[in-house]
Amino acid sequence: MNSPFNYRFQLYNHLQARAPQIYAEAREAARALGIIPEMRGTFGFTGAVSSCHGLLIRRVAEAIEAGARKVIGNAPLDECVRAIVKDVYGDEWDAACINTCEAALWVTFDTFFTPPFTGRGDTYRARYITLYERHLHHHGGYGRPFPPRYKDLFGDRGVTAGELGFSGKRLTNLDAIFVRLSGAEYPTHGIKYHPVPLLTRVDPEAARAALAEVAAHHADTLVGFSSLGYDTPGYGYGVKNQDGAPKLQVLIGELARRYQVPYVVDNAWGAPFLGTDPRAIGADIMVYSMDKAAGAPTAGLIVGREELMVQIRRALGIHGQRWGTGSSHGKAAYVTNDPGKEALLGVIASLEVLRDEPERVTQAVDDLYDIVVETFAELPAPLRQGWMITKSMNSMAVELNYENTWRDGEMGFPIFTIEDMYAGSNIIQNCMSEMGLVPTIGYDGNILLSPGLGTTDEEGQLIEREARMLARALVRVVEIVYRHMGTPQAVSFR
C-alpha cells in the first residue's frame, strides 16, 4: 500500500502528531454510530482484560450468591473443583484454584523451576526455556533473561520502573532462556518504538529444531519449558496437528519429555475443556485466568498431572493436614494467594457450564465471528488486504491479525506495541476509549475481540445490536487511521 513515508519511525511520528485529529474523528464517528453519552463505558470489545472484567452469566452469579450466605468449608469446594476437572481429563489429572493466573504461574515456577535453597551446600542456578513470543513478560518474567541482549526487554512495562516492576518477580537463581521462533519476525514499530513479535509465519518444525539445540546446550541446568497455550495464527500457533492441537506446543511437549522436565503452559486467556487440551500437547501444568474466557469471577486455575499437583497443592496449603487427611484448606508458602469461598463457588459453576453446557459460551463466539467478518467486508478492498480473522474456542474470542499488511516493502496498518499500551500511546486503544468503549487487547499487530462486556445477556448469548455497533466502531477506527497515514486508497466508510 503506497505511503508518503520512507521509514517506519517517520510514520509513527506523523501519527503521534495527528493523534488529536484522529481522536476527534473517532468521537464524531461514535456519535454517528449511535453511541450516546449514556452508553459510554457500559460495553466494550472484551470482558477478558484485567482492568475491566466481563459480566457473569446468571447461573454463575446465582451460585455465588446462594453460597455466600451459607456455612461452607473451603476444603469441600477445593475437592469439587478437582472432581470436575477429573470428570473431563481423567483421574491422572488434578486441579487447584488460586486467586489469579499470575499467582498460578508464580507458585508453579517456584515449585518446579527454582533451585532448592535449604540444606547444605551452595545453591545451583537453573534455567527454563521459553519462546520469544507475545505476552512474554508473564511466563517469561520469572527468571533473569538469557541471553543478556534481552535483559531490558521488560524495562518499561508495568507502572513501576526497575526492580520494583516486572524485574521484581524474578525467582532466586533462576534464568529464563528466550528462543526466537523460526519464521517469526521481530521488527521495531510503534510510537513507543520497540521490537514486536510477528508470529503468523512460525514454522513449528524449524522452531523445534532451534529449541532442541538450545536445550542440548543448557542440558545441565535445564529445569523446564514454558509457552502460551493459545491456538491462533497471531500467537504463532496456527499450524495444527490432525487432531487440532497446535503443532508447536506438541513438539515442545515432546522435548520436555525427552529431558524429563515439566512443560508449563500459560493459557490465561483460555477456557478449560473447550480449548487447548493439556493431554493433547504433552503439557504437565496448564494455568488459566478463570475471569477471562471461562466466565468466572476473578480467580486462577491450575490443572496438571497428579504427580506434580501434589507439590502445587502442598504449596497452597490444600493438600492435606500433616497428621493425615485427604485434603485441607490451611497455611502454606502461598496462602497469600487463597481465592476465597466466593471465587471457588464461581469457578465451580463456570466449570460446570463448560463441562455440561458448552454451547452457552461457544454460540456467542460463533455469532460474534460472523458479525466481525460481515462488517470488515464493508471496508474498501485495498484496506482489507493482509487482515486475517480467526475464531478461537480456546480464548472464546475472534482474533484480527494484520501483520501481513506489512509485506514486500510496503507499509501496512500501524502496529502499536505493548509498550504503547503501557505508555498510553496506542492510538487504536485510545480511539476506542474516545468513542466511549472499553478497549481490548490490541497491540503487536493483533486485536482480540470477545463477548461478555455488555454484549451478552444473562444467559451468555450475544446481543446483536451492541456487537454490531462495536464491530462497526472498530472498522471506523481502521478507516480513520488509514486516512491519517496519507493512504490514497482510504475512503470514508459508511
Side-chain angles (χ1 to χ4, degrees):
M1 192 168 291
N2 294 329
S3 172
F5 308 104
N6 294 322
Y7 308 108
R8 288 192 298 270
F9 81 90
Q10 294 172 332
L11 166 65
Y12 293 109
N13 286 346
H14 171 78
L15 288 173
Q16 183 181 31
R18 305 264 323 162
Q21 296 97 312
I22 293 174
Y23 298 151
E25 290 189 26
R27 291 191 294 271
E28 179 57 37
R31 286 190 287 271
L33 289 170
I35 303 174
I36 59 178
E38 291 76 13
M39 299 174 69
R40 292 183 62 88
T42 63
F43 68 127
F45 290 88
T46 181
V49 293
S50 298
S51 59
C52 191
H53 296 287
L55 306 180
L56 302 177
I57 64 171
R58 185 201 306 271
R59 177 169 170 177
V60 175
E62 288 179 346
I64 296 172
E65 184 176 3
R69 295 291 299 169
K70 293 181 180 178
V71 178
I72 305 174
N74 280 353
L77 298 179
D78 290 325
E79 294 191 351
C80 187
V81 171
R82 300 174 70 186
I84 296 172
V85 169
K86 287 174 177 291
D87 284 344
V88 178
Y89 292 140
D91 196 25
E92 63 272 25
W93 290 80
D94 211 334
C97 196
I98 195 168
N99 61 343
T100 67
C101 185
E102 196 68 49
L105 286 171
W106 184 22
V107 66
T108 300
F109 283 127
D110 201 13
T111 300
F112 298 117
F113 291 175
T114 305
F117 54 84
T118 58
R120 297 180 179 181
D122 294 333
T123 299
Y124 55 83
R125 294 204 67 82
R127 289 179 166 173
Y128 71 98
I129 294 176
T130 190
L131 315 179
Y132 184 2
E133 60 183 333
R134 194 168 289 115
H135 302 325
L136 181 60
H137 55 286
H138 292 289
H139 56 292
Y142 285 90
R144 296 174 67 84
F146 184 91
R149 65 182 292 184
Y150 300 117
K151 64 187 176 185
D152 197 41
L153 190 62
F154 308 145
D156 289 338
R157 299 186 188 179
V159 296
T160 306
E163 290 188 347
L164 297 180
F166 276 99
S167 299
K169 70 179 187 178
R170 293 174 184 165
L171 297 172
T172 303
N173 288 337
L174 182 64
D175 302 328
I177 305 174
F178 298 164
V179 179
R180 298 166 84 89
L181 286 163
S182 305
E185 298 176 34
Y186 300 90
T188 306
H189 280 278
I191 292 173
K192 187 73 182 288
Y193 219 47
H194 199 268
V196 296
L198 304 182
L199 306 173
T200 62
R201 299 192 177 192
V202 166
D203 181 337
E205 293 287 355
R208 180 202 179 280
L211 288 164
E213 183 177 354
V214 172
H217 183 72
H218 297 281
D220 59 338
T221 58
L222 184 62
V223 294
F225 291 83
S226 182
S227 78
L228 288 177
Y230 301 165
D231 65 348
T232 60
Y235 283 94
Y237 300 109
V239 180
K240 306 292 199 305
N241 278 355
Q242 289 184 344
D243 61 359
K247 189 170 184 179
L248 178 56
Q249 294 164 3
V250 173
L251 295 175
I252 297 172
E254 292 175 357
L255 278 175
R257 288 193 295 277
R258 172 181 167 186
Y259 284 94
Q260 299 184 41
V261 295
Y263 177 25
V264 176
V265 178
D266 177 6
N267 201 11
W269 198 332
F273 313 155
L274 304 185
T276 302
D277 190 327
R279 301 167 300 179
I281 64 171
D284 296 288
I285 297 285
M286 185 173 285
V287 301
Y288 301 88
S289 182
M290 291 296 291
D291 47 282
K292 291 184 170 61
T298 302
L301 181 68
I302 309 172
V303 173
R305 302 181 190 276
E306 277 202 320
E307 176 192 358
L308 300 180
M309 288 304 298
V310 168
Q311 307 306 322
I312 292 286
R313 293 173 56 77
R314 288 182 63 193
L316 295 175
I318 60 175
H319 184 62
Q321 303 291 1
R322 292 182 64 183
W323 57 81
T325 58
S327 62
S328 69
H329 199 99
K331 302 294 183 182
Y334 283 90
V335 69
T336 52
N337 301 113
D338 190 318
K341 183 180 76 171
E342 284 71 27
L344 283 165
L345 289 165
V347 166
I348 290 168
S350 65
L351 289 175
E352 289 174 340
V353 170
L354 295 172
R355 180 193 62 187
D356 303 332
E357 304 175 77
E359 65 281 355
R360 275 180 178 261
V361 287
T362 59
Q363 184 61 55
V365 179
D366 287 334
D367 293 342
L368 179 62
Y369 174 79
D370 291 342
I371 288 173
V372 171
V373 170
E374 177 184 330
T375 307
F376 262 75
E378 299 176 17
L379 268 174
L383 304 192
R384 298 198 305 270
Q385 294 178 5
W387 285 78
M388 184 185 305
I389 304 176
T390 306
K391 177 169 53 179
S392 171
M393 290 306 176
N394 177 74
S395 297
M396 294 293 136
V398 177
E399 178 188 85
L400 287 84
N401 182 280
Y402 58 89
E403 66 182 64
N404 289 315
T405 63
W406 294 76
R407 288 297 166 205
D408 304 321
E410 297 287 346
M411 288 195 181
F413 192 70
I415 295 176
F416 299 100
T417 67
I418 188 172
E419 307 300 334
D420 280 316
M421 182 184 75
Y422 283 116
S425 52
N426 184 321
I427 286 179
I428 299 173
Q429 290 178 315
N430 292 346
C431 279
M432 297 177 192
S433 297
E434 293 291 336
M435 288 176 142
L437 309 173
V438 180
T440 182
I441 296 293
Y443 57 77
D444 295 357
N446 217 47
I447 302 172
L448 282 183
L449 312 177
S450 64
L453 192 63
T455 58
T456 50
D457 61 22
E458 291 185 344
E459 303 304 322
Q461 298 308 297
L462 197 69
I463 303 173
E464 183 175 352
R465 174 176 172 268
E466 278 73 6
R468 288 192 179 277
M469 190 175 290
L470 287 168
R472 290 180 66 85
L474 181 56
V475 169
R476 281 294 285 124
V477 170
V478 171
E479 186 274 324
I480 291 168
V481 172
Y482 261 133
R483 184 150 34 81
H484 281 273
M485 291 171 58
T487 304
Q489 295 92 337
V491 298
S492 294
F493 174 78
R494 293 292 182 264

